[in-house]
Every structure is written in C-alpha cells, then in structure tokens.
Amino acid sequence: MAKAISHFALLVLTFMLVQLDYSEQLQSSQAQTLVRIQRLLNYPTVLSSWNSSTDFCNTEPTSFLTVVCYEESITQLHIIGNKRAHMLPLNFSMDSFITTIVSLPDLKVLKLVSLGLWGPLPGKLSRLSSLEIVNMSSNFLYGAIPQELSSLTSLQTLILDENMLSGRLPDWLGSLPVLAVLSLRKNLFNGTVPKSFSDLNSLRVLALSHNHFYGEVPDLSGLTYLQELDLEDNALGPQFPKLGNKLVKLVLSKNRFRSGIPAELSSYYQLQRLDLSFNKFVGPFPPSLLSLPSITYLNISENKLTGMLFDNLSCNDGLEVVDLSSNLLSGHLPNCLLSGPKNRVVLYTRNCLTTANENQHPSSFCQNEALAVGILPQRKKSKQVSKAVLVSAIFGGIIGGILLAGLVFLLARRINARKTIKRPQTRLIAENASTGYTSKLLSDARYISQTMKLGALGLPAYRTFSLEEVEEATNNFNTSAFMGEGSQGQMYRGRLKDGSFVAIRCLKMKKSHSTRNFMHHIELISKLRHRHLVSALGHCFECYLDDSSVSRIFLIFEYVPNGTLRSRISEGRARRSLTWTQRIAAAIGVAKGIQFLHTGIVPGVYSNNLKITDILLDQNLVAKISSYNLPLLTENTGKVGHGTVSGSVDPTTSARAQHVDKVDVYDFGLILLEIIVGRPLNSKNEVDTLKDQLQAGIAADRAARLSMVDPAVNKSCLDQSLKTMMEICVRCLHKNPVERPSVEDVLWNLQFATQVQDAWHSQSQSSDGSPISPLQPPRLHHGHRSQK
Ligand SMILES: *[C@@H]1O[C@H](CO)[C@@H](O)[C@H](O)[C@H]1NC(C)=O
Ligand SMILES: *[C@@H]1O[C@H](CO)[C@@H](O)[C@H](O)[C@H]1NC(C)=O
Ligand SMILES: *[C@@H]1O[C@H](CO)[C@@H](O)[C@H](O)[C@H]1NC(C)=O
Ligand SMILES: *[C@@H]1O[C@H](CO)[C@@H](O)[C@H](O)[C@H]1NC(C)=O
Ligand SMILES: *[C@@H]1O[C@H](CO)[C@@H](O)[C@H](O)[C@H]1NC(C)=O
Ligand SMILES: *[C@@H]1O[C@H](CO)[C@@H](O)[C@H](O)[C@H]1NC(C)=O
C-alpha cells in the first residue's frame, strides 16, 4: 500500500478491479465444484442452503458445514451429514466424487463425515498434496488404504473411523513424517500393527480399536508425544505394549494380553484413563495405580490380577470410576475408595475381598486360580509322540525332585487328546480349575505352625510370575544365564526387576495337560518354604494358545550363591573349607530341612534322595536343601498304576508308613560322613569300610579319632564334639532302617555337638582367639580405618 500513496486514486481503482476479477474467476470454478459436490451427494439436508449464488467464503461456519477460504481458494471443507443414515444411491461413484473434490487444490482440511459415501477410497485423493487433516468417519468406505496416500507428506491427522476398510495396515503409514493422529476405529483391518509405527515421532493419538489386529504391539516407547493409545477390542497381545510415560489415555481392553502389568505404569503421571479390562493380565495389581496423580478412570475388570489390598491404601481424589471386578484380589477394599465423592463409581464384585461380602469368592478361590494362571506364546507344532513312550515315562509315587534333581510330572493322559478335543482358542484357563478338588487339597495340607514360622523367614510371598518377567530376568534365556541342564529341564540364573537373583528351572511339558493338572503340585511347592530349603518364590505357566494346555512350567527359586556343601568340604581349597563348627551348623541346617519335609506338611515329603551336592550354602553359610521330592496325588492324573519306581524309592504307602523317613536319615548319614572325613565317597564299599572305622574309632582313643577326621579341621575340633558326630553318623548309616535314629534324635545330638564345641571355644578364645563361630558376626580387626 506504500506505493499507492502517490497515485492513490488510480491504484486503488486498479487494485480493486484486479482483485474483483481474480476473485470472481476462482470463486466461480470452486463454487461450481461445491455445487457439483452437492449434487453428487444427492442434495443432503446439511447442504440445503447452497445454491449457485451462495457466497461460500462468507457464510457463517456451523458445526455441520464449514467452508474456509484463503485468498479466495477453499482450504477447508467440512460437511457433517446425518449420522450414517443411509447410503448414497447406486449410481453414486466415489471415484467421480473424489475427482470433483481434488479440483479444490488448496484443501488442507477435509471432513466428510456421515454422508453415506460408499466405495473404495480412491488413491487420487493424494493429488490434494496440501492435505493436513482428513476425517472421513462414519461412511461405507471399503477396501484397503491406497498406496498413493503415502505421498501426503503434510498429513497430520487421518481419521477413517466407522467404515468397512480392511486388509493390513501399510508400512508406509509409519513414514508419514508429521502424522500426529491416526484413528481407524471400527473397521475391518487385520494383520499386525506395523513395526514402522515405532518411527512416528509426532504421533499423539493412535486409535485402532474395534478391528481385527493381532500380535504384539510394536515398541512405542520412543514416541514421546503419544498421549492416547486405544486398542480396544482386537486380538493383540500377549505382552504389555512398550510405551512412553506421557500417556493420558491407555485402553487395552478386550484383547489377548496375558502378561503382567509393568512397574513403569506407576510412573505415568499424566495418565487419566486406564482400561485393561477383559484380558488375561496376570500377576500383582499395583495398588499405586489408584494414586496416580491424574487418574480418573481405572478399569481392570475381568483379568487374573492378584495381590492384597489394604484399608490404608491411598487413592487419587479425582478418581471417578474404579472397576476391579472379576479379578483375584484379596484383602480389604481401600477405605479411600469407599469414602470418595458421591458420584464415584466403585465396582469390585467377584474377587476375594473380605470387606465386601457382596458377591465375593472365598479366599481359597483366588489362591487356587492365581496358581493356575497362565501365559502363552504360539504353540510350535509338536511332533507326534508314540503312544508306547508314555507309559514308561512315569515315575511311581514321586512327581519329581525339584531344582537340580529336576521335576518329573506324571503324564498319563491319552497322547492324542490334543488332536481330538480341540478347544476354542480363547478359552479361559481357569475355567477348568475345580475348586472342589483344590479345597480338598487345602484341607490335606495342614501345617505345623511352629515349623511354618521358621519357614517363612525372609522370603517374599509366593506368587505367579509372568512370562515377560521370566524372560526379562534371564535376558530372554540368554546363554550367559544358563546354569545347567538336567534330565528334566534347564536351569537359568535370573535377575528380577528389584535386583534380586533367582534360579529358574524350566520344565518342558511333553503332554497336553491343563494348568489344573499341575495346580495341586504347584500348591505344594508354594507351601514348602523353609530356611533350610531352597524355596520356590513362584511359578509361571506357559500355555499353548490353541487349547491352553501347559507347554512349559517355570519354577522360580531363591538363588543361593555360595556353592554346594561339597565344594566347601572336600573340593574347596583349605582357605574356603568350612571350620568344624561351621560343618556342624550346616549339618543341623540339613537336618532341620529334612525335619520340615517330613513333618512340616501333611502328608510329609519323604525319600528325597539327598546328596551333598544338592545342599547349597547362602551368603551366611546357611545350608539349604535344593532337591526334594513331592508326593503326587494320584487321583489327579488317572492311570498311575503303570508307573514303575525309579531308584531306591518304594512307592507303596505301607512302605512309606513304615520306614520311608529312615531313607532320608541314611542319606543324611552319608552327608555327615563326608563332613567328617572331608572327602567324597565313591562307593558303597568305601562307605561301609569308613563306617566300620568310625565305629571302631568311637571306642578307641582321641588320637585314633582325630586321625580319621578331615585334616583341615582336626586341630579345631573338640573330641567330645567329634565323638558325638561320629556316633550319630554311624547310627544313621545302620543297615536296618528301624535301627536308624529319628530326625529329632539326630538333631538333638548335633545340637549337643555344637554346644560342647561352643563351650570349648569360649574358653579357648581368651587365649588364642582363633576360631570364630560362623553364626556370630565376624569380628572387626583392630587397627583398620574404615574406608569411607
Ligand atoms: C439461494 O439461497 C438463498 C438463501 O440461502 C436465497 O435467498 C436465494 O434466493 C437463492 N438463490 C437462488 C438462485 O435460488
Ligand atoms: C442418480 O440417479 C438419480 C435418479 O435416479 C439422478 O437424479 C441423479 O442425477 C443421478 N446421479 C448421478 C451422479 O448420476
Ligand atoms: C471426525 O469428525 C466428526 C464430525 O466432526 C467428529 O464427531 C469426530 O470426533 C471426528 N473424529 C475424530 C477422531 O476426531
Ligand atoms: C485379512 O483381511 C483380508 C481382507 O478382508 C482377508 O482377505 C484376509 O483373509 C484376512 N487375513 C486374516 C489373517 O484374517
Ligand atoms: C469396565 O470395562 C468393562 C469392559 O470393557 C465394561 O463392561 C464395564 O462397564 C467397565 N466398567 C465401568 C465402571 O465403566
Ligand atoms: C498399611 O497396612 C498394612 C497392613 O495392615 C501395613 O503392613 C502397612 O505398613 C500399612 N501402610 C501404611 C502406609 O500405613
């Protein structure tokens, strides 16, 4: 306008003429296009105000109809029709319609919603190269998303909700550089979500709900702007998606997720809506979700989430909806949920909560269901196994030694059951769990409370692990985590999220069995916890997808770091070798472990095939039995009669009732013998010879006795202590089981051996101060400055 100052009048006139002329031309062509659109859309009521003389660029925009012009060219066109009322007539052509639309070349925003558009989405839409926002929801579009749209590099928002589009999502969607909103709800898409979505760095909203997507969700943790992820009602899973922590809305309901809930979720400080309902999520429900600072809607209903709730948990004040129904939660409903605002919705039926008497299961139900919970990768096509193999593959009354000895399962079902009885893919695993059966088991498993108290020492509660956790702990079963392999499976060392180490035994199931078949077994394992047993921390079932039968069982045990008892007696260099006092303490530990196995649970666990190499030492040199057997409750597996006995174990109940406890006492005698003489015993003959020598030594003099004991300890052991140990050892090794001492007798003698040794120590320490009892804290050396 500065130029216009000198020749004001002329210039103004010219300008106006040019402007009018220019405007008129464009306006007319684009106006004609709009009128054509009106015709092609069969004159919908929303466009009833349009006629050839309408000033399109200057009409007031409404929520149904908006035309925005920039320099007399249309940049935005919104036509929102009448709720998908009807399809356009048969002579409608989507192709000619889009041909008409693309003659509005500057369109940046195109919304054509609920207009009854039908037909495939034409690729020529890509000629609108400035398009930034497209919303063509609630029409009848079908077919795939055309490849040509990949050239729409300015596209920020693509919304095609409520159509009938199908096929797989193209990979190129992931390379649209500025895509921020992708919403394809309620279509017929299938296939997996493209991995390329991990690269959609601008993505804010991803809504793929109500389609037929399946498989794992790609890693979206790098999408720092992602705020809304809606995957409801697909077949996605089983792993929880990897996500960034900026999410505001996360909807995973009605899918096939079966993992645990990752701990990171508790750090999603912006999360307002969390819907995990109708999946098979397992493992503990993190109560911290209730107190997320932004949470208003939390729905975890219909999962298999476990854990205790407490009165005193805290909740976010803004919570409006909390739905915990149909899980395996126990404990008390938090007070903060009950005392919230009036309009707050709190649902919690079908759990095992005690505060709520309304429609709750007994707590045993949740316990048992929790034990039966599973996870599942795709089943690999298993080879057909010959029927003959199965009968011989059975160990009689023993289901197996856990840990190093392995765990053997009785698998006596028809081998072809899997083929003939095909169960639906989505069957809930726990449907099969018969509470009747397991409550019987519970009543069988009466525990001696005193022993239980001891056993509870310092271990986290037994729980179900998710496959995800197990994989993470072992770095996907990395070879560096591999510890060894026995006949019944591999052993891995793992590290849990909290930093603690675990030992994981992986047992591959050869036959098709539901988790129910293993429940009683798992139940027993979960109860066999004691200071002197390597105790199970939990388990994880891996199930086949198609029939939910168990493919592998992972048993997660405490990790006992300090080697085997043998390595500290007869293999260790002198420096690592246990002192006499430490040896007695280890023997006492083993005896207490045996006592617990025999009497801590009813029926007791006998014939444990104890070996010195299966006794592990923890960092405080506490001895723990790592291999023990579990009696199988025969009614659960059907035809057990085919089984034959492995090893020295007599499975018949009469034998068990009589002397089977003395089998462990004999094995304990062998351990004691090695503890005393300090070298491995290679044959039965050697054992018998040594036993006779000890027998003679007891009657002989001190020097004779000391000559038999391990040279590494013979200077520090008191004769009376040594003599007691020899006596009890010889008695344990008695040929006649009846003559062997009871475990209690053994324990009493060992404790006596300790006491005399200790008494001697406290006298002698004042003079030379050398041996230190292993059970006392090590003394600080004088003259050393602390490091920090
Ligand atoms: C076009 O519509 C306007 C009202 O929207 C009306 O006033 C005008 O008469 C119409 N013109 C024609 C040619 O129908
Ligand atoms: C479709 O057919 C109707 C008559 O049935 C006609 O009025 C209309 O113009 C036709 N539309 C197209 C796009 O051919
Ligand atoms: C698409 O447009 C319709 C009509 O304006 C609107 O109701 C709907 O929310 C839009 N879709 C999305 C995902 O924003
Ligand atoms: C995916 O959808 C397409 C088109 O509807 C169909 O032909 C194909 O069989 C589907 N694939 C699967 C695995 O369901
Ligand atoms: C929780 O989700 C389920 C399934 O998605 C739904 O049926 C239920 O109504 C939801 N609960 C609440 C309180 O919204
Ligand atoms: C809540 O109660 C449980 C058991 O009643 C208790 O262990 C826990 O320490 C309590 N927590 C707080 C924060 O008071």
Side-chain angles (χ1 to χ4, degrees):
M1 287 297 171
K3 287 178 197 161
I5 293 171
S6 47
H7 313 286
F8 183 73
L10 178 67
L11 276 176
V12 166
L13 183 63
T14 322
F15 181 76
M16 287 182 71
L17 283 172
V18 168
Q19 185 73 3
L20 277 174
D21 189 39
Y22 179 77
S23 157
E24 200 123 87
Q25 272 184 0
L26 269 188
Q27 188 76 358
S28 65
S29 89
Q30 298 209 355
Q32 278 167 26
T33 299
L34 292 182
V35 171
R36 200 176 314 133
I37 287 171
Q38 183 186 29
R39 180 165 51 81
L40 291 171
L41 291 177
N42 210 22
Y43 302 99
T45 37
V46 60
L47 300 182
S48 56
S49 62
W50 282 4
N51 60 33
S52 49
S53 55
T54 308
D55 181 3
F56 293 106
C57 291
N58 290 302
T59 52
E60 196 63 26
T62 70
S63 59
F64 302 107
L65 183 59
T66 300
V67 179
V68 176
C69 307
Y70 181 74
E71 289 178 347
E72 306 306 317
S73 181
I74 294 172
T75 56
Q76 296 200 27
L77 175 63
H78 311 189
I79 309 173
I80 316 300
N82 195 355
K83 275 215 91 192
R84 256 193 118 167
H86 48 267
M87 257 157 100
L88 287 166
L90 271 180
N91 60 1
F92 171 79
S93 157
M94 190 63 189
D95 193 62
S96 5
F97 179 70
I98 293 299
T99 309
T100 307
I101 293 277
V102 298
S103 61
L104 302 172
D106 296 318
L107 268 185
K108 289 186 192 306
V109 178
L110 177 62
K111 296 192 183 180
L112 301 166
V113 177
S114 302
L115 293 171
L117 304 177
W118 64 269
L121 190 60
K124 64 178 71 149
L125 191 63
S126 64
R127 293 189 201 153
L128 295 172
S129 58
S130 312
L131 269 184
E132 292 173 2
I133 296 176
V134 174
N135 181 349
M136 295 176 62
S137 303
S138 305
N139 286 295
F140 302 92
L141 303 176
Y142 55 77
I145 298 181
Q147 159 77 35
E148 289 93 326
L149 300 194
S150 61
S151 67
L152 291 175
T153 51
S154 305
L155 200 61
Q156 293 167 15
T157 296
L158 178 61
I159 301 168
L160 299 168
D161 296 348
E162 296 194 69
N163 278 287
M164 303 180 308
L165 295 161
S166 62
R168 296 171 161 258
L169 289 188
D171 284 336
W172 57 256
L173 274 175
S175 36
L176 290 175
V178 293
L179 193 66
V181 176
L182 179 63
S183 187
L184 306 172
R185 294 182 170 102
K186 299 192 180 170
N187 277 283
L188 303 169
F189 289 113
N190 65 15
T192 55
V193 180
K195 285 232 159 40
S196 60
F197 280 21
S198 303
D199 304 328
L200 284 168
N201 291 319
S202 311
L203 200 64
R204 269 191 302 108
V205 174
L206 179 59
L208 304 176
S209 57
H210 305 283
N211 278 285
H212 306 300
F213 292 113
Y214 51 80
E216 298 292 0
V217 180
D219 185 346
L220 304 179
S221 57
L223 307 188
T224 44
Y225 299 110
L226 190 65
Q227 294 191 336
E228 182 176 334
L229 181 63
D230 181 2
L231 303 176
E232 181 176 350
D233 197 10
N234 280 286
L236 294 161
Q239 301 298 329
F240 201 98
K242 294 197 172 63
L243 306 166
N245 67 355
K246 297 282 173 19
L247 277 174
V248 173
K249 180 176 168 186
L250 175 57
V251 181
L252 303 179
S253 56
K254 299 178 183 153
N255 273 285
R256 304 217 179 130
F257 293 106
R258 300 189 185 193
S259 67
I261 297 181
E264 300 93 80
L265 207 56
S266 302
S267 70
Y268 287 18
Y269 60 98
Q270 301 189 22
L271 195 61
Q272 293 172 9
R273 187 181 183 91
L274 177 61
D275 189 348
L276 307 179
S277 57
F278 277 91
N279 279 285
K280 287 181 202 161
F281 282 112
V282 297
F285 164 67
S288 52
L289 294 180
L290 289 169
S291 55
L292 282 174
S294 311
I295 195 94
T296 58
Y297 180 101
L298 175 65
N299 192 343
I300 60 161
S301 64
E302 300 283 349
N303 279 292
K304 307 244 159 227
L305 293 166
T306 52
M308 285 286 269
L309 299 182
F310 294 108
D311 302 350
N312 58 4
L313 292 173
S314 56
C315 324
N316 181 33
D317 289 339
L319 266 176
E320 289 160 9
V321 175
V322 180
D323 192 343
L324 311 173
S325 17
S326 297
N327 275 285
L328 306 173
L329 300 171
S330 52
H332 294 251
L333 196 68
N335 288 333
C336 63
L337 286 181
L338 294 168
S339 62
K342 273 224 171 64
N343 51 357
R344 180 183 282 174
V345 178
V346 180
L347 304 178
Y348 48 84
T349 53
R350 297 185 300 282
N351 279 285
C352 303
L353 296 166
T354 50
T355 30
N357 39 16
E358 195 188 321
N359 216 343
Q360 297 291 313
H361 301 292
S363 65
S364 59
F365 174 85
C366 288
Q367 265 170 357
N368 296 332
E369 294 284 292
L371 294 170
V373 150
I375 335 191
L376 60 97
Q378 299 290 335
R379 152 171 292 185
K380 290 171 213 86
K381 287 283 155 262
S382 52
K383 282 178 290 177
Q384 174 114 16
V385 191
S386 117
K387 284 187 187 175
V389 178
L390 129 113
V391 173
S392 57
I394 293 169
F395 278 46
I398 294 163
I399 197 158
I402 325 173
L403 261 190
L404 301 176
L407 175 57
V408 183
F409 289 101
L410 261 171
L411 302 164
R413 283 274 169 95
R414 277 170 307 147
I415 203 133
N416 286 339
R418 192 188 301 157
K419 294 206 171 292
T420 49
I421 311 164
K422 205 75 173 177
R423 279 159 285 186
Q425 288 217 337
T426 52
R427 186 178 61 93
L428 283 175
I429 287 165
E431 277 171 11
N432 258 353
S434 130
T435 29
Y437 177 78
T438 44
S439 60
K440 174 187 182 307
L441 180 87
L442 278 176
S443 65
D444 277 346
R446 281 170 279 119
Y447 309 110
I448 294 168
S449 59
Q450 183 58 32
T451 335
M452 275 311 278
K453 249 188 237 163
L454 275 173
L457 276 173
L459 287 175
Y462 188 95
R463 67 180 174 98
T464 308
F465 285 71
S466 72
L467 187 59
E468 188 182 43
E469 258 178 303
V470 173
E471 283 171 346
E472 200 174 311
T474 56
N475 201 359
N476 263 321
F477 302 102
N478 194 295
T479 43
S480 64
F482 186 72
M483 287 164 75
E485 178 159 15
S487 56
Q488 301 310 320
Q490 298 101 7
M491 194 75 189
Y492 290 88
R493 195 170 99 126
R495 189 165 194 181
L496 298 182
K497 273 235 173 62
D498 65 9
S500 60
F501 285 101
V502 290
I504 300 175
R505 173 152 293 275
C506 160
L507 304 155
K508 200 157 165 40
M509 298 297 105
K510 296 199 183 83
K511 307 283 154 36
S512 170
H513 276 278
S514 73
T515 49
R516 176 191 161 215
N517 295 65
F518 302 111
M519 269 171 60
H520 68 288
H521 189 72
I522 292 290
E523 176 98 18
L524 283 178
I525 291 175
S526 76
K527 299 301 178 197
L528 280 167
R529 308 183 113 211
H530 188 268
R531 178 177 158 89
H532 295 291
L533 298 185
V534 174
S535 307
L537 305 175
H539 73 280
C540 164
F541 284 135
E542 183 192 62
C543 297
Y544 291 120
L545 187 56
D546 52 4
D547 63 1
S548 296
S549 67
V550 176
S551 60
R552 285 192 291 183
I553 297 180
F554 301 98
L555 294 170
I556 292 92
F557 290 90
E558 55 174 332
Y559 182 74
V560 181
N562 243 346
T564 66
L565 184 55
R566 171 171 281 175
S567 75
R568 295 305 207 95
I569 302 255
S570 32
E571 283 171 354
R573 284 169 295 269
R575 195 174 48 82
R576 271 171 54 87
S577 191
L578 296 184
T579 66
W580 182 247
T581 321
Q582 288 171 329
R583 290 179 192 211
I584 307 176
I588 290 175
V590 177
K592 283 183 175 168
I594 297 171
Q595 187 186 38
F596 178 79
L597 288 169
H598 289 188
T599 60
I601 183 167
V602 178
V605 179
Y606 299 100
S607 302
N608 293 287
N609 195 17
L610 299 163
K611 295 196 204 72
I612 194 167
T613 47
D614 291 338
I615 310 299
L616 303 181
L617 296 170
D618 77 0
Q619 61 276 16
N620 301 317
L621 300 180
V622 173
K624 290 171 186 275
I625 302 173
S626 74
S627 167
Y628 36 90
N629 287 329
L630 291 168
L632 177 72
L633 301 178
T634 50
E635 68 263 38
N636 198 40
T637 47
K639 316 169 190 169
V640 175
H642 302 298
T644 55
V645 176
S646 151
S648 61
V649 181
D650 187 338
T652 65
T653 40
S654 62
R656 172 162 296 163
Q658 286 166 23
H659 312 303
V660 103
D661 56 329
K662 300 295 177 67
V663 173
D664 283 341
V665 171
Y666 183 86
D667 290 342
F668 179 77
L670 291 177
I671 294 172
L672 218 46
L673 189 56
E674 187 163 338
I675 284 177
I676 294 169
V677 303
R679 63 185 157 87
L681 309 161
N682 299 313
S683 68
K684 181 108 175 53
N685 272 347
E686 196 179 356
V687 170
D688 289 340
T689 314
L690 272 173
K691 191 189 96 183
D692 292 339
Q693 286 174 10
L694 286 193
Q695 180 88 62
I698 293 165
D701 64 355
R702 178 169 178 270
R705 283 191 285 273
L706 282 180
S707 70
M708 290 173 196
V709 79
D710 184 355
V713 293
N714 68 1
K715 294 196 183 58
S716 61
C717 74
L718 183 71
D719 185 45
Q720 182 58 57
S721 175
L722 174 60
K723 196 172 164 190
T724 310
M725 291 284 276
M726 285 169 134
E727 277 167 355
I728 196 70
C729 177
V730 168
R731 285 175 62 207
C732 287
L733 296 174
H734 204 289
K735 287 216 159 49
N736 182 354
V738 185
E739 297 293 319
R740 294 173 199 156
S742 69
V743 181
E744 286 69 28
D745 196 354
V746 169
L747 257 177
W748 190 91
N749 278 282
L750 292 174
Q751 264 147 3
F752 176 74
T754 305
Q755 274 163 22
V756 290
Q757 183 74 20
D758 277 350
W760 179 70
H761 269 292
S762 41
Q763 281 165 9
S764 64
Q765 252 169 13
S766 51
S767 51
D768 67 10
S770 53
I772 293 164
S773 162
L775 302 174
Q776 284 160 13
R779 300 175 157 228
L780 295 173
H781 293 283
H782 297 291
H784 280 259
R785 296 217 138 231
S786 64
Q787 302 275 36
K788 280 192 179 170

